Every structure is written in C-alpha cells, then in structure tokens.
Amino acid sequence: MIRADRAISWALPSRIPILNAPESARPFTPEPLPATALKGVGPKLAERLRRLGLCTAADVLLHLPLRYQDRTRLTPIGQLQAGDEAQIEAKVVGSEITARGRRFLLCHLVDGSGVLTLRFIHFSPGQQQLLGQTGARLRCFGEVRQGYNGLEMIHPECQRISPDDPPAPAYLTPTYPTTAGLQQFTLRGLAEQALEQLETAALLPELLPAELRTRLRLTPIAEAVRLLHQPPAATTLAELAGGRHPAQRRLAFEELLAHQLSLRRLRQRMKQQTAPRLTGDGELTGRFLERLPFSLTAAQQRVFTEIAVDLAQPRPMLRLLQGDVGSGKTVIAALAALQAVETGAQAALMAPTELLAEQHYRNFQNWLGELGVEVAWLTGRLTGKARRTLLERLAAGDIQLAVGTHALFQEQVAFAELALAIIDEQHRFGVHQRLALREKGRHSGSRPHQLIMTATPIPRTLAMSAYADLDTSVIDELPPGRQPVKTVALPDSRRDEVAARIRQSCQTGRQAYWVCPLIEESETLQCQAAVATAERLSEILPELRIGLVHGRLPAATKETVMATFKAGQLDLLVATTVIEVGVDVPNASLMIIENAERLGLAQLHQLRGRVGRGAIESSCVLLYRPPLSQVAHTRLAALRECHDGFEIAHRDLELRGPGEVLGARQSGEQTLRVADLLRDQDLLPIARHAADELLRDHPDCIEPLIRRWIGVGARYGEV
Ligand code: ADP
Ligand code: MG
C-alpha cells in the first residue's frame, strides 16, 4: 500500500541549479542593480553577459581580469626588442598593400628613435584608411617581432592620437575572461562604469563586520575591487598574476566564506527536517554479521556505530563515508540498509555505472536474500511490463532494497517508505549533483537519511570546503592481511615479458586484468583497441581463457563475462576502464594498465585497487609509451611509491587542481569566481572559523553574502 505521506518522488530537475538562494533580501541591502542598468547594456549584450554569469552590476565588478597589460608607459621604438609586449606612439610615414604573394597591409612608423612596421594580414577598409594617413600620430600596443626588414608588430591595437588627447592611462589595462561576441573594450567600459557607481549606488556594500575585518586585516571591498580593475602603474604584475595580492585575497576570502555559509545553512535547514527514526532491533544486522566469512575491522565497527546512531535520530543523517579502495565500504552499506529494513522501511543504493550497480545487486542479493530481504535491481534493460511490475512493487513497499544507477533514479521512481539513500563512489558525481539528490522528496514531510561513500579520499582542507554540510566518517584501516600492490612502470616495448608474467601467474590459479584505457576520444575506438588487444593476447597466450568487456557490449554479455570471471572460469579479463570502480574479484592478483601515462593519479589508484583485495600478494604493471612527459613521470613515480589513498589524493590535487578532484569540471558546473582552492588553501580554515562566528553573532550578514557570491537565479536547498 502506498502511504502518501512517505511516498517520495525521485524526479531531478533537468538542469541542476547552483547551490541555494535566499528567499528575500535583508532590509539593509538594496535590491541589486541589474546589469541592464548600466549604459549600453541592451537585451543582446545582457544575454552575453549572462553567459559569463554576470546578471548584476555587482557581478560585473566581481568578474576579475585574467591578466593585465602595461599601457601606462610609451617605449621609444629604438628601445624595442623582439618578444616585448609594448606600447609606442609614432608618426605614419607611409603605407602599402603588398602586391606580390599574399596580400598584407604594411604601415611604416617613425618616432625619432627608430622605424617600425605594422603588418596586417586581415584588414578592413576602415583600418586601411586610418593607417594610410601619412603624418597621423598612432598609439599602438602589441608584440614586437623580428621581420625581414627590421622590427614589426603584427595586428597591434591602434588608436589615432591628436595633440590634445590625454596621455597614456595611469592604470594597468585589464584583460577579462570573455565569451564569443563580447569584446574586451566592452567589458572594460562596463567595469569602468560600474566602478564610477560603486559608492553612489552602493553596488558592493561592506558586508563583513568591522571587527572581523580589522582582526584579519582585510582590505575594504570597494578598495579591493577598484585596485583589481584599475591597478596603479606601480602595482607588481607578478603579485597579481600569482593571485597573492591583498586585494585578491580579500575577495577570495569573502567568496570562500560565502560558500561555507551556504553549505552550512543548507545543513541547518536539512537538520530541521524530520526523518524516520531507524531504531532497528539488531536482528537482521546481527544475523548478517554472523554469516559474514570475516569479522569487521575496528574502523568498520566504529564507522557503523556512527551511522547507526545517526539513523536512529528523527533528523536526516548527512554522512560522507570515506575509505580507501578495498577498505570494505560495501559491508557498511549493507549494515545501514539492514537497519532501515529492520524498522520496516526501504533503502536505495545508487552507483555511478551499470556494471557497479549490478555487482552491488549481486552482492546484496547474495548476502541479504538469505535473510529474507527483497532486493531489486533497477536496470536500464528492464522495460515494459517487467519494469512496471517492479516499480509497482517498489511503490507498494514489497521491495526493501533497490539498487540502480544514478540515471535510473532520476526518473520517476516512487517508494512506499524510502528511509535511506546510499550513494556509492560519490567522486563520480559533481558536488552539486549531490545536493540535487537531496531534493528528493521535498514535497513530503520527511526526508530520507543519506550515506555517501567515496574511495577518493578528499584532502582535509578541500573536504572542509566542499563538504561543509556533511558529517564525515573515515575507514582508516584495511582488512587484515592486505599487502601493498607491488607496482612497476615499464615501457610498452617490454610487452612480451609482461605476457610471460601473466602466463606464470595464471598457472598458479590466479587471475589477471589487462586494462586498455581511453586513448582515443571516441568510445568506439577505445572498444576497438580493447578488442584488438584481446585478440593479440589470445595469440600469444593460447593456453589461457581470455574474456573481454567494454562499454559497447550488450549489458547481458557484459554481465555474463563478469560473472564468468568472478566464478574463476576466465584467467584474464581484457577491459576498458568500465572496471575502474568497485569491481571486486579477490582472486585477481595482477593488473596490467596500458597507456598508463595518459591517466590521472586518482584513476590509476582506483584501477590498481581492483587487485590486492585478498591476502594474496598482488602486482600492477603500468605500461607506458616513451618518452614520458615530466608530469606523467611524476605521476607514475608517485603511484609506485605510494599506496595510501589520502597521500595519493593530495598529490593528485597538486597535479590536477581541485576542480577536477572534486568532479566539478566533469559536470561542467560553476566553480569559484575568484578563489582557487589550491592557491587559497590557507584561507579555508580561516573562512570556516569566520563562518562559525557569523552564524553565531551576525546572522544578518549571511543572506547578503550568499546572494552576492552564489547568486539569486538558483533556488537550491530551499525547504
Ligand atoms: P570498497 O571500500 O573499495 O568498496 P569493498 O567493500 O568492495 O571495498 O571490499 C573489498 C573486499 O574486502 C571485498 O572482497 C570484501 O568482501 C572484503 N572485506 C570487507 N571487509 C572485510 C573485513 N573486515 N575483513 C576481510 N575482508 C573484508
Ligand atoms: Mg566499493
């Protein structure tokens, strides 16, 4: 029977908005001035600005330059050197369009110290006219190159100067990040306009309490913004380029603070929700533990206690479970699910890929089926009547645990009484997708508890920023008897040796993986590479039973191959990176990864985590195609030396940057505007601390800060 009050619809909005937004402005902040209030911003320009995320005049001010050009000085032509970016002022002494070969517009200039040629490959009649006026004075900015007949500038920016024009600008000239159809001078003009109105229209009122600003010695916001758009000529370009200027730090700090506040507020609101109290009697969990062939590690026990306590509360649990590859998170998921089932409610488990969803399904079916728990697999292959029946049983509460991919749960799936949502391998989902999942059931009175599991340990500072809304549990111990996977890197010219090694290992009854990662843009080509590799290996190793899985195989075939491998009826599995996460075959003890130099550190660590899952000594061979780039070399060396997921995550962060580590880049979502999580790491604990203070002592600041930095368009996390 469907109990309407607990029936939860799992519909996701088609576009996931960014974090959350306030419901109304505080009295002391004026309505933000829309960008269209700036002179010259019509509907077309407004649309282009919107593409850059600029909706208000304040947004224009927070859109900071990427870099600066020094046009405050004029360089005499005689002092120019090839390679300089420079500004000159000189007189036109002649111009011509070259007649032979390619058509160029050339213009010759003199300034008393030397001669310079301007060269244009494309030119308009207007330019031709401007440059053709012998005697005219031009101011040009561009890069100096060595031409056939002396120094040249190719396609410089040129401006005609009359004697009473103002001298060169007193400020460094900003270059902004832009989008198609939006010129630098338009952005410069808008920033100038907004700066003029900065105080009069109170575009960026100071929102931080004076006491905090004094204590942290923060530059006033208006001063910071003014400096960054119009740096005085004396400002050190290097400091600006490094992002370490006090003005930049001030804005980065405020932005990080706003994100902290937004996540924390989201958390507060979630915590005000009610959730079903899952106070199981321990009957099922007890029987489950008895049947397990091993006992929980101390870390698993501790983590499960933390979760069990949360689940028994009438408020939704929001917990991130971190644990390195192979640390045994699945057992914890099963225990949490059983606690829901014991209480008569339902649980759902979401995995990032079909393959992983299937493996979880089989695992749970195996473990929990015997205990009389109804487990269902929501697969994409299920259609028509079978699918309808399954959904009906889910809505009626006949199914106690549903397993599927994230995509499947996006569709309309109704539960009778969903009490716990478990999300596996969170790193595959973007930060904001995670928040979106929380929206499930916003129309019902009660929310499910959430357990999010990830094998990508997130460095502490990052975790504080991106997961400020979650409690964290860490499994910091591997099951006993695990040995580090011996890792070597070999040039792929030594494939024969590797084949011999596979033969040897499989003769002792062990199994092996051969991974062909993405080296082509297209999945089809990637699959073809895997097919070819499998064929070649069959020729070299005719005595081995070799299987193949890749993304293009029909799901049923994939499953059969995986099941056969798992049952020990295949010796070697050739695979694309579909096996990257979660696949668990403890008897596999050797992994070969081709083109290892193309993969990221975290991905390599994930792949390698497919072996070394039992007590057998395992190894991993990283095949690369020489020559190795410096970064690739560093990566492979790090993997050889290092077996701890946290350490690897830290190095990965340094090599790749936080956007990718957190998965935001993959999902193409808005990241930070000014702050850079890596560069500004030291600001994170300070922002976190300041967030505590504001929440406690200055709650009025919170709304306007979030509104300033995170925007008003989205309505995320509202309850
Ligand atoms: P992950 O954390 O990467 O998801 P899994 O949950 O897949 O790891 O567990 C990896 C392997 O370790 C599995 O084969 C699992 O059965 C086994 N395992 C989990 N916990 C223990 C334990 N306490 N003792 C021994 N083996 C364990
Ligand atoms: Mg797992």
Side-chain angles (χ1 to χ4, degrees), residues 267 271 302-303 306-307 310 317-323 329 332 421 423-427 429 434 438 450-460 462-464 466-475 646 662:
R267 177 188 165 85
K271 287 287 182 191
R302 170 175 43 76
V303 161
E306 287 164 3
I307 293 169
D310 276 5
M317 169 175 81
L318 302 167
R319 194 168 276 280
L320 177 70
L321 172 56
Q322 292 192 48
K329 295 181 291 294
I332 302 297
I423 302 164
D424 192 22
E425 303 299 353
Q426 147 75 23
H427 74 288
F429 304 130
R434 166 170 65 78
R438 246 184 234 176
Q450 284 197 49
L451 177 64
I452 293 147
M453 308 200 291
T454 175
T456 308
I458 297 137
R460 245 174 63 77
L462 267 193
M464 282 198 279
Y467 295 97
D469 55 331
L470 299 178
D471 296 305
T472 308
S473 293
V474 182
I475 307 185
F646 274 93
L662 293 175

Side-chain angles (χ1 to χ4, degrees), residues 424-501:
D424 192 22
E425 303 299 353
Q426 147 75 23
H427 74 288
R428 286 298 194 88
F429 304 130
V431 175
H432 299 122
Q433 267 170 302
R434 166 170 65 78
L435 298 179
L437 292 173
R438 246 184 234 176
E439 285 300 285
K440 307 292 181 190
R442 57 183 296 159
H443 300 301
S444 72
S446 151
R447 302 264 172 144
H449 297 279
Q450 284 197 49
L451 177 64
I452 293 147
M453 308 200 291
T454 175
T456 308
I458 297 137
R460 245 174 63 77
T461 43
L462 267 193
M464 282 198 279
S465 157
Y467 295 97
D469 55 331
L470 299 178
D471 296 305
T472 308
S473 293
V474 182
I475 307 185
D476 50 7
E477 176 188 8
L478 292 177
R482 296 279 172 85
Q483 304 176 37
V485 179
K486 266 203 213 140
T487 305
V488 292
L490 294 179
D492 61 4
S493 51
R494 290 171 63 183
R495 276 162 183 270
D496 288 352
E497 280 168 58
V498 176
R501 197 156 162 176

Side-chain angles (χ1 to χ4, degrees), residues 354 377-380 387 404-413:
E354 274 277 319
W377 180 23
L378 270 170
T379 151
R387 180 176 163 79
T405 60
H406 173 244
L408 277 163
F409 282 107
Q410 284 190 17
E411 294 161 28
Q412 290 282 344
V413 177

